[in-house]
Amino acid sequence: MELRSTHWFGRTGKDGFIYRAWMKNQGYPSHLFEGRPVIGICNTWSELTPCNGHFRELAQFIKNGIFEAGGFPVEFPVMSLGETLIKPTAMLYRNLASMDVEESIRANPVDGVVLMCGCDKTTPSLVMGACSVNIPTIVVSGGPMLTGKFRGKSIGTSDIWRFAQANKMGTMSNEEMQVSEASMCRSDGHCAVMGTASSMACMIESLGLSLPENAAIPAADSRRKALAYMSGKRIVEMVKEGLKLSDILTRDAFENAIVTNAAIGGSTNFVIHLTAIAGRIGIELNIEDYDRLSKSIPLIANLQPSGKYFMEDLYYAGGLPAVMKELKTLLHTKAITANGKTIGENVESSENYNEEVITAIDKPFNPIAGFVILKGNLCEHGAVLKPSAASPHLMQHKGKAVCFENIEDYKARIDDPALDVEADSVLVLKNVGPIGYPGMPEVGNMGLPKKLLEKGVTDMVRISDGRMSGTGFGTVVLHVSPEAAAGGTLALVQDGDTITLDVHNRVLQLEVADDELAKRRLAWKPTHLQVARGYVQLYQQHVQQAHLGADFDFLIGGSGSEVLRDSH
Ligand code: FES
């Protein structure tokens, strides 16, 4: 086995001196440079990414495992994307972070890498970047927070939407809102519900990119540290075995992830991130695959926002291995995983300890799960709807459009008593797509008009080219492609137009005659924010539409692990 790192540390003369000497200022003895696998620990620790705030301590356990296995750990930082703080949206920077990861891995003397992922975008950005290099890689997720506790009740991120509506209605004061903040976020870790971060952690485990149980062990549980330790040990073996990302990320692995995500009621963001990852590793995954593979999958994990419980409960009930064991007949059980065993072998001995949290596929919590991919003149390349988060009475719906040209327009008018809106109207939000916002923020589950909330309306059909938080819910049509800013039909919708949503037949149709649409298209001019410099300009010029994963067109595929040239 020839190690990549030998081309740095194995050299003699001036080059070898330079590669080793500066490293030694950190106290590393000479024998560490003598043929040990060098393992990069790609760390997204940041105080501005609070979900990953415990990663410095967690990294130490990975290092301990690497040392025990005879490797040489080297930790390095990459851009870290904190979902709650970054403006205008962390999604704007996912591709940038992935470039940082890709180039950092390739440019440095590492033989294998451990990706430390947690908050939403830190998972896809790291995996996308690593796929484009394709060396042995294992993921350690940071783990979910402990379940929030507020006034005798369990709470999690999905409650924010309920609290916000209660606050708007005057039934929850600002002071009560503030007390609930620390009650919800009371430990290390990422959002405790099956939001995007948890969906990403489950995606990692079902793809086979981590050790079993990685997805659900709470961040505050000591077994998270033990898993980090064991992952450190394992990556050294993976380097010796030459087990690369492309060996694990087969078509079967992607299909396993889609089936599993459906069964747990995972986030709609899963679609966009998994598609982008597939693009990097060279697996063809179409948006229709999500519908085809998930339509017969029932919901078997009872987790918020589609159900009742939290990630902590999932772990105590047996974790993702117990879920995947229930799904065994629907999975490609021979798919190989990071520990060298197959998915089938990994889940064989797992048990379901709580049937209120995990159930059998013939006794589901909800017979429908997964995603519906809609098509029609309003979304020629597709749009996504999550039926388990939607209202059954709105699945077949015809209503008049109430349009908002952008998010500012929506905010200015949604609570205006004069807004011409009824419970059966369809709220349409434009210019929140990848190009239009820019960055495709999580605003698709727009709050309902106050005057309808006061009448007791709890859900309406909402359509946009944006995304929705994995913790959100409602009859929300997302990721409309092509987006309004790219001249999609969404841009042409006018107040009062009739829109048909037919989930059963996968149709989203603007009931306007073709010649009228052609006239509107001729008169259409883009109105979205256009940026003339820097990264955001690059983003707007190169981001692909949602159905392609919103990756940059020039980042599709990979460049391998070869460096372009020697440094000196
Ligand atoms: Fe980080 Fe939810 S805000 S995972």
Side-chain angles (χ1 to χ4, degrees):
M1 176 191 61
E2 192 191 42
L3 293 170
R4 231 184 136 247
S5 56
T6 307
H7 297 286
W8 284 261
F9 299 142
R11 295 238 181 135
T12 54
K14 181 196 72 173
D15 288 351
F17 177 97
I18 291 170
Y19 292 134
R20 290 183 302 270
W22 272 262
M23 287 293 283
K24 287 181 176 176
N25 81 342
Q26 300 176 94
Y28 296 128
S30 288
H31 73 275
L32 291 185
F33 300 91
E34 291 167 2
R36 288 181 176 231
V38 179
I39 308 297
I41 301 174
C42 180
N43 198 338
T44 47
W45 169 84
S46 165
E47 287 178 346
L48 294 169
T49 307
C51 304
N52 300 12
H54 57 302
F55 278 17
R56 286 194 290 190
E57 190 191 3
L58 198 60
Q60 190 55 51
F61 286 86
I62 299 171
K63 282 184 193 173
N64 294 347
I66 293 169
F67 274 127
E68 189 196 317
F72 176 13
V74 283
E75 186 181 345
F76 63 96
V78 287
M79 186 181 196
S80 182
L81 302 174
E83 197 65 26
T84 53
L85 298 179
I86 287 187
K87 294 184 180 186
T89 169
M91 183 64 180
L92 178 61
Y93 304 105
R94 183 199 66 177
N95 299 345
L96 178 62
S98 79
M99 291 167 77
D100 179 0
V101 173
E102 175 181 345
E103 302 303 335
S104 294
I105 295 173
R106 182 181 300 111
N108 279 297
V110 293
D111 302 301
V113 66
V114 182
L115 305 177
M116 294 188 71
C117 305
C119 196
D120 297 13
K121 307 298 176 296
T122 58
T123 300
S125 59
L126 266 57
V127 176
M128 287 161 68
C131 281
S132 292
V133 187
N134 194 24
I135 61 173
T137 301
I138 196 166
V139 176
V140 173
S141 300
M145 290 183 214
L146 297 175
T147 305
K149 297 288 174 188
F150 179 56
R151 298 188 171 164
K153 287 206 175 110
S154 293
I155 61 165
T157 317
S158 297
D159 289 288
I160 296 173
W161 316 113
R162 295 186 188 97
F163 291 171
Q165 284 204 352
N167 186 243
K168 202 165 167 179
M169 299 298 295
T171 54
M172 187 171 184
S173 69
N174 291 340
E175 290 70 33
E176 286 174 300
M177 288 280 280
Q178 207 168 336
V179 173
S180 71
E181 290 170 5
S183 311
M184 191 181 79
C185 300
R186 66 188 180 99
S187 81
D188 287 336
H190 59 69
C191 291
V193 298
M194 188 48 76
T196 302
S198 299
S199 303
M200 289 294 97
C202 292
M203 175 190 81
I204 290 298
E205 189 171 332
S206 54
L207 282 169
L209 292 181
S210 69
L211 295 185
E213 301 202 323
N214 172 67
I217 305 173
D221 193 307
S222 56
R223 288 166 285 189
R224 173 66 53 189
K225 291 174 184 157
L227 179 127
Y229 187 104
M230 296 308 290
S231 302
K233 265 187 87 172
R234 175 61 194 153
I235 185 66
V236 177
E237 292 165 13
M238 287 170 75
V239 169
K240 290 177 181 163
E241 292 164 11
L243 186 62
K244 300 198 295 283
L245 277 170
S246 57
D247 299 319
I248 296 172
L249 291 176
T250 59
R251 170 87 198 180
D252 283 357
F254 282 90
E255 294 193 355
N256 284 343
I258 293 172
V259 168
T260 306
N261 186 75
I264 58 177
S267 164
T268 46
N269 287 318
F270 170 88
V271 177
I272 218 155
H273 298 318
L274 191 76
T275 303
I277 291 167
R280 294 295 185 96
I281 205 73
I283 298 290
E284 202 177 313
L285 201 59
N286 299 317
I287 190 155
E288 291 81 9
D289 288 329
Y290 293 90
D291 197 317
R292 185 177 57 78
L293 292 164
S294 70
K295 71 178 164 204
S296 58
I297 309 297
L299 187 74
I300 65 163
N302 189 9
L303 301 168
Q304 288 196 22
S306 298
K308 182 176 169 194
Y309 293 99
F310 298 84
M311 289 301 285
E312 193 182 343
D313 304 306
L314 175 65
Y315 180 53
Y316 304 146
L320 199 67
V323 175
M324 294 182 75
K325 189 174 181 185
E326 297 288 358
L327 294 170
K328 227 169 113 179
T329 54
L330 304 169
L331 297 175
H332 301 289
T333 51
K334 292 202 165 60
I336 201 81
T337 74
N339 67 358
K341 296 186 179 158
T342 64
I343 283 278
E345 288 167 339
N346 284 343
V347 305
E348 190 56 50
S349 61
S350 59
E351 275 184 55
N352 179 1
Y353 299 109
N354 188 343
E355 290 184 357
E356 278 186 35
V357 179
I358 302 169
T359 186
I361 48 174
D362 55 355
K363 289 187 280 176
F365 297 115
N366 188 338
I368 35 169
F371 303 119
V372 164
I373 303 301
L374 301 162
K375 287 280 178 79
N377 66 351
L378 199 41
C379 54
E380 282 154 7
H381 296 147
V384 177
L385 180 136
K386 183 176 172 180
S388 61
S391 301
H393 73 281
L394 292 172
M395 299 291 209
Q396 306 282 127
H397 185 78
K398 214 180 254 287
K400 300 276 185 217
V402 176
C403 297
F404 301 96
E405 290 305 311
N406 52 48
I407 192 69
E408 290 77 19
D409 182 30
Y410 162 80
K411 285 181 180 166
R413 294 194 296 122
I414 189 67
D415 290 332
D416 184 342
L419 184 70
D420 186 10
V421 63
E422 302 294 336
D424 61 357
S425 301
V426 175
L427 303 180
V428 176
L429 177 58
K430 308 175 187 177
N431 291 309
V432 292
I435 299 169
Y437 195 69
M440 208 184 176
E442 294 181 333
V443 294
N445 59 325
M446 53 197 120
L448 306 185
K450 191 173 174 190
K451 68 178 182 184
L452 294 181
L453 287 173
E454 283 165 352
K455 286 186 190 166
V457 176
T458 54
D459 194 10
M460 293 171 73
V461 174
R462 289 159 269 181
I463 300 172
S464 78
D465 44 15
R467 295 178 302 121
M468 170 172 82
S469 164
T471 63
F473 46 85
T475 310
V476 185
V477 177
L478 302 155
H479 308 186
V480 165
S481 176
E483 63 174 298
T489 306
L490 186 68
L492 311 179
V493 185
Q494 295 180 357
D495 282 341
D497 286 349
T498 299
I499 293 176
T500 298
L501 171 66
D502 179 350
V503 174
H504 181 71
N505 290 306
R506 285 16 187 187
V507 170
L508 182 67
Q509 189 76 8
L510 179 64
E511 307 292 357
V512 173
D514 287 349
D515 55 344
E516 168 62 18
L517 281 181
K519 255 192 255 166
R520 291 185 195 178
R521 199 173 294 284
L522 269 180
W524 175 77
K525 287 194 179 54
T527 56
H528 65 280
L529 180 70
Q530 294 181 55
V531 178
R533 111 159 255 290
Y535 170 73
V536 181
Q537 184 191 40
L538 177 90
Y539 182 94
Q540 288 190 307
Q541 287 173 349
H542 291 282
V543 71
Q544 299 187 104
Q545 288 295 286
H547 71 285
L548 298 172
D551 198 3
F552 289 154
D553 50 11
F554 61 87
L555 288 178
I556 300 299
S559 306
S561 61
E562 292 293 311
V563 293
L564 274 182
R565 292 252 170 102
D566 245 342
S567 48
H568 32 74

